[in-house]
Amino acid sequence: MHYPFAAGNPYQALLFAATRQAGSRCQALSGGVVQLLKFVLGRTDCAVLHLHWIGEPVAGQRLAGALARMLVFQLALAVWRLRGRCIVWTVHNLRDHDGRRPWLDRLNATLVAGLASRLIVHGRSASSIVASTFGVPSAKIRVVHHGHYGSLVPAQPLDPSHAGTRLLFFGQMRGYKGLPRLLQAFAQLQGPHSLQLAGSLTDPALARTLQDMASRDARVSLRVGHQSDAALAQLLAWCDAVVLPYDDVFTSGSLLMAMTAGRATVAPRAGLVADYADEDVHFLYDPQAPAGLEQALRQVVDAQDLDARGALAGQQARRFDWATIGRQTAAVYRETTGQTHTRRQPTDS
């Protein structure tokens, strides 16, 4: 059973399909912690509870509510283990990106890591970081990469018919993604370049900041709102390169999507970015350097080989194929339940 299930997240749909193909009977559970508790108390033949994003129980405006949700969440996990079932946690993030109650978020994650039979990380460089962060033995950690998005965004050649360089940021516009700093850095570039920011934007203060900064530069446009798969494909076809100026990053699905579409990226040399993005192809910068992002943007707009870089990025992305990921994920399930032979019955998760 995968929890929480995000219906609009293509990563989970692709993971489900690949893991089912590898012999596991995957199911999904959405909703809050009460729904999770009802599930673990009910009758089910699921052997593995696969956790993904675990920060929501400790979020919210009121501390009392966050503590109550965390208690229910941890109670559900403890009951599941007492029933003799297994927990697998994919560590997508080390912490809540929005910085809501970091002490409670760390406590919640540390408890989850302790209860989990296995932790999945999306890159080898994450193993030691996760082990030390949550105090778990490295023997509990398995590396299963994030897959590409070839079924959603086709790789397309660059359009040479326009002047300047077209840059794109896409995804949820949130505080930790460094967008004001991106607009400041872009404003220092001279020339007929363009920058488009596309995605949902729910933070009123951030919305005001971005709208004010964008209004000062006619080359910048905001496309606020959820972007469908078709819209994302069009945006990626429009741009020459993708910019992901995150202040805090661990795993990035947006990076894999940009690479799948055949686009070089500008991204910080942090988290698992370098596990996927080859520095000979992409424009990685030191996030601690004050002018690191601006220098990377200058390299992009001066580059004469973005089309070749994009083609190589697409090839790199397709190394992370879902068939392999499905088999590796199913193997983790079998390992946690003691089913080490593929001829045994499929493992429910």
Side-chain angles (χ1 to χ4, degrees):
M1 180 63 70
H2 290 246
Y3 176 86
F5 178 71
N9 189 327
Y11 163 80
Q12 283 189 310
L14 292 166
L15 178 62
F16 272 34
T19 311
R20 285 174 180 147
Q21 186 67 30
S24 290
R25 296 187 291 245
C26 296
Q27 302 177 52
L29 179 66
S30 57
V33 293
V34 173
Q35 284 74 19
L36 176 63
L37 182 60
K38 289 179 178 178
F39 164 72
V40 302
L41 291 172
R43 295 182 61 183
T44 176
D45 58 357
C46 284
V48 178
L49 175 62
H50 189 158
L51 299 174
H52 290 275
W53 300 274
I54 63 169
E56 194 58 33
V58 298
Q61 295 184 346
R62 296 183 181 276
L63 176 59
L67 288 170
R69 286 190 300 274
M70 176 181 160
L71 179 61
V72 174
F73 180 57
Q74 292 295 335
L75 175 62
L77 301 186
V79 168
W80 186 255
R81 290 309 308 267
L82 287 172
R83 293 186 65 183
R85 312 298 174 86
C86 301
I87 295 173
V88 173
W89 175 30
T90 293
V91 188
H92 295 284
N93 305 309
L94 291 176
R95 55 187 168 268
D96 176 22
H97 286 306
D98 293 319
R100 300 168 292 187
R101 300 190 188 89
W103 62 274
L104 192 59
D105 180 66
R106 171 62 67 86
L107 174 60
N108 182 58
T110 301
L111 292 172
V112 171
L115 286 169
S117 304
R118 294 290 183 272
L119 283 70
I120 292 176
V121 295
H122 286 314
R124 294 194 179 281
S125 63
S127 296
S128 59
I129 297 173
V130 167
S132 61
T133 298
F134 300 117
V136 298
S138 57
K140 287 179 65 169
I141 300 172
R142 298 291 179 268
V143 177
V144 179
H145 286 97
H146 192 303
H148 65 73
Y149 290 99
S151 61
L152 300 177
V153 288
Q156 301 185 50
L158 271 60
D159 177 6
S161 63
H162 57 85
T165 301
R166 292 176 173 176
L167 302 174
L168 171 70
F169 167 87
F170 67 95
Q172 295 183 13
M173 301 186 209
R174 297 169 64 185
Y176 73 90
K177 294 191 175 181
L179 298 178
R181 191 162 46 84
L182 169 58
L183 294 185
Q184 290 175 348
F186 181 77
Q188 303 306 310
L189 301 180
Q190 302 297 317
H193 311 298
S194 53
L195 170 64
Q196 187 167 183
L197 278 60
S200 58
L201 176 56
T202 58
D203 182 339
L206 180 60
R208 288 192 295 271
T209 297
L210 295 180
Q211 289 165 356
D212 178 63
M213 296 181 73
S215 68
R216 304 174 196 170
D217 192 336
R219 303 174 301 167
V220 177
S221 61
L222 299 179
R223 184 169 173 170
V224 178
H226 172 73
Q227 305 298 311
S228 66
D229 292 342
L232 279 177
Q234 292 177 348
L235 287 166
L236 288 163
W238 168 85
C239 74
D240 299 312
V242 169
V243 186
L244 303 172
Y246 299 159
D247 294 328
D248 185 16
V249 62
F250 195 52
T251 304
S252 175
S254 295
L255 173 65
L256 265 296
M257 186 169 286
M259 291 172 60
T260 303
R263 295 298 181 266
T265 60
V266 175
R269 195 181 296 105
L272 298 181
V273 169
D275 286 47
Y276 293 85
D278 189 325
E279 296 210 36
D280 292 334
V281 174
H282 302 273
F283 302 87
L284 306 187
Y285 62 91
D286 180 359
Q288 302 303 319
L293 175 58
E294 181 181 339
Q295 292 171 357
L297 292 181
R298 292 188 184 281
Q299 291 174 353
V300 172
V301 300
D302 290 340
Q304 302 297 313
D305 60 346
L306 287 179
D307 50 351
R309 288 174 180 260
L312 288 173
Q315 293 174 16
Q316 292 172 354
R318 281 165 175 75
R319 293 182 303 183
F320 305 107
D321 65 285
W322 283 105
T324 299
I325 290 164
R327 290 193 297 269
Q328 291 173 338
T329 304
V332 173
Y333 297 159
R334 290 194 299 272
E335 183 182 3
T336 61
T337 58
Q339 297 180 12
T340 57
H341 300 291
T342 57
R343 290 186 179 181
R344 295 194 180 185
Q345 291 298 314
T347 302
D348 287 350
S349 61

